[in-house]
Amino acid sequence: MTRKLGIAVIGLGPASLPHSKSLLDLAGRADVRWAVSRSADRAERYAAQFPFPTTTDLDAVLADPLVDAMIVLTPPSSHLDVSARCLEAGKHVLVEKPLELTSARGRRLVDVARRTGRVFGVVLQHRFRPASLRLKAALDAGELGSIEAAFLSVPWWRPQSYYDEAGRGTLARDGGGVLLTQAVHSLDLFRSLVGVSRVVAAQVRTTALHQMETEDYVSALLETGNAAPATLVATTAAYPGYPERIEITGTTGFASLIGGRLRLAFLDGREEVVEAEGSTGSGANIMDFPHDAHRAVITDFLDAIEQGRDPVVTGEEALASQRLIDEILMAARHRG
């Protein structure tokens, strides 16, 4: 029998929870050899929740010949340095969003991945929800006809206590505000569904609800890949937080994707609904969502390694979404 793929998880903060739950589910395929943190206290707390060996010695993990792949869950400011070390050591890498603090640093990371020839993926799990997959298939098959308009809303909430944590909402740690840290998932999904060919105009601000360096409210007028009008609104100031929404108007039907629930309504009278389970992390409890989409991301990553192919969300795909965020913020600055 072929041995299981050896996995190491780097970074044991809140983001490690859905990944670790997923790895437990995938125990038949993945052998978690190490869970790594710079903090001995955090490693000890993690070990009380999950049965994986913990360590603070990344060098030892990189030298372990039975570790095939790394799941990098450290803060965005460290993604380039940590992931590049892993790639140069011959390990495949799955890194949490966003790709990096800036598109320039993200480009450097993608280049390292391509040069080393390792499988490199980015955790943008909204693409893997069953409702998202059904909507993607419907659009690809032309079931909604030509796209005439599209709408994306991310009305989330984060309390001030969230931004009071060291580095939250800063350029130095997070690289940006609501667009890069929260709405990037929905924006990436939106871009993969309808394409975005142009940013027409944008507005960005930090509302009086938060004291933070970066933005907590963004609105933008966009054009889809076929030049249809599109609208974006994203915020973390919508108390108490509501599910993200994508609406697509086509010549033969309408799609409404709210959180993980999809409703397709066709002009010939047919309707289809794909139900969802659980919340989306839109409120104060940032980890209030099921881990099934994360499990699907990791499954695709493992498949990509075994099949010698790219994962669904490549570094280039993540970089394209990050560059779209750059364009929206630039349009807002030019407006001012």
Side-chain angles (χ1 to χ4, degrees):
M1 293 180 63
T2 303
R3 72 173 177 87
K4 300 178 186 179
L5 287 170
I7 304 294
V9 178
I10 306 177
L12 304 183
S16 68
L17 297 179
H19 289 279
S20 300
K21 292 176 181 178
S22 299
L23 289 166
L24 287 175
D25 295 343
L26 295 169
R29 298 188 59 184
D31 175 22
V32 181
R33 294 186 55 79
W34 301 104
V36 188
S37 176
R38 292 184 303 176
S39 166
D41 289 342
R42 177 164 283 182
E44 184 177 351
R45 292 194 299 270
Y46 178 90
Q49 291 182 275
F50 297 101
F52 307 136
T54 59
T55 182
T56 59
D57 189 349
L58 178 57
D59 289 330
V61 174
L62 292 173
D64 184 345
L66 295 181
V67 171
D68 302 289
M70 319 288 271
I71 300 179
V72 178
L73 310 176
T74 56
S77 57
S78 66
H79 286 179
L80 172 58
D81 295 337
V82 173
S83 298
R85 286 185 64 191
C86 298
L87 291 163
E88 297 286 5
K91 315 299 184 183
H92 306 289
V93 170
L94 178 65
V95 65
E96 255 293 354
K97 64 79 188 171
L99 188 57
E100 243 289 351
L101 292 181
T102 67
S103 293
R105 287 177 62 84
R107 177 75 261 175
R108 288 170 58 191
L109 178 50
V110 171
D111 288 345
V112 173
R114 287 303 180 192
R115 176 172 54 77
T116 58
R118 300 294 86 190
V119 172
F120 181 73
V122 184
V123 181
L124 288 163
Q125 72 271 9
H126 284 198
R127 294 200 195 194
F128 290 84
R129 291 170 170 172
S132 301
L133 294 171
R134 175 65 186 105
L135 179 53
K136 175 67 171 172
L139 290 167
D140 288 348
E143 295 180 50
L144 297 179
S146 173
I147 294 174
E148 294 297 307
F151 173 73
L152 168 62
S153 173
V154 185
W156 283 17
W157 167 253
R158 292 293 184 263
Q160 181 59 41
S161 57
Y162 171 87
Y163 292 110
D164 288 341
E165 294 182 20
R168 288 287 191 189
T170 67
L171 293 173
R173 180 192 182 277
D174 288 348
V178 61
L179 279 185
L180 192 59
T181 305
Q182 285 84 28
V184 61
H185 288 294
S186 297
L187 188 60
D188 172 76
L189 174 60
F190 187 75
R191 190 187 62 78
S192 75
L193 293 172
V194 303
V196 177
S197 59
R198 188 164 76 97
V199 178
V200 179
Q203 293 178 303
V204 173
R205 73 174 300 179
T206 304
T207 71
L209 283 82
H210 294 129
Q211 298 296 314
M212 56 188 289
E213 180 183 5
T214 54
E215 86 285 347
D216 68 353
Y217 187 93
V218 177
S219 61
L221 299 178
L222 312 171
E223 287 185 357
T224 67
N226 68 343
T231 305
L232 157 74
V233 177
T235 185
T236 52
Y239 179 81
Y242 302 88
E244 57 279 5
R245 177 190 295 263
I246 292 176
E247 295 177 348
I248 301 172
T249 300
T251 52
T252 59
F254 179 81
S256 174
L257 179 62
I258 303 175
R261 184 183 190 273
L262 172 66
R263 179 175 178 268
L264 297 173
F266 299 96
L267 270 63
D268 62 9
R270 291 179 297 119
E271 289 194 3
E272 180 182 341
V273 174
V274 178
E275 296 290 354
E277 295 184 5
S279 301
T280 66
S282 61
N285 183 356
I286 65 173
M287 304 310 296
D288 182 22
F289 55 83
H291 68 277
D292 53 332
H294 283 77
R295 183 175 62 240
V297 171
I298 297 174
T299 298
D300 174 66
F301 179 61
L302 299 177
D303 289 345
I305 294 171
E306 293 175 352
Q307 297 166 14
R309 62 165 175 85
D310 282 335
V312 169
V313 185
T314 61
E316 287 85 355
E317 276 291 289
L319 188 60
S321 293
Q322 189 157 349
R323 283 175 169 164
L324 174 56
I325 291 172
D326 291 345
E327 292 173 16
I328 293 170
L329 296 175
M330 185 178 298
R333 287 194 294 270
H334 287 171
R335 177 183 179 274

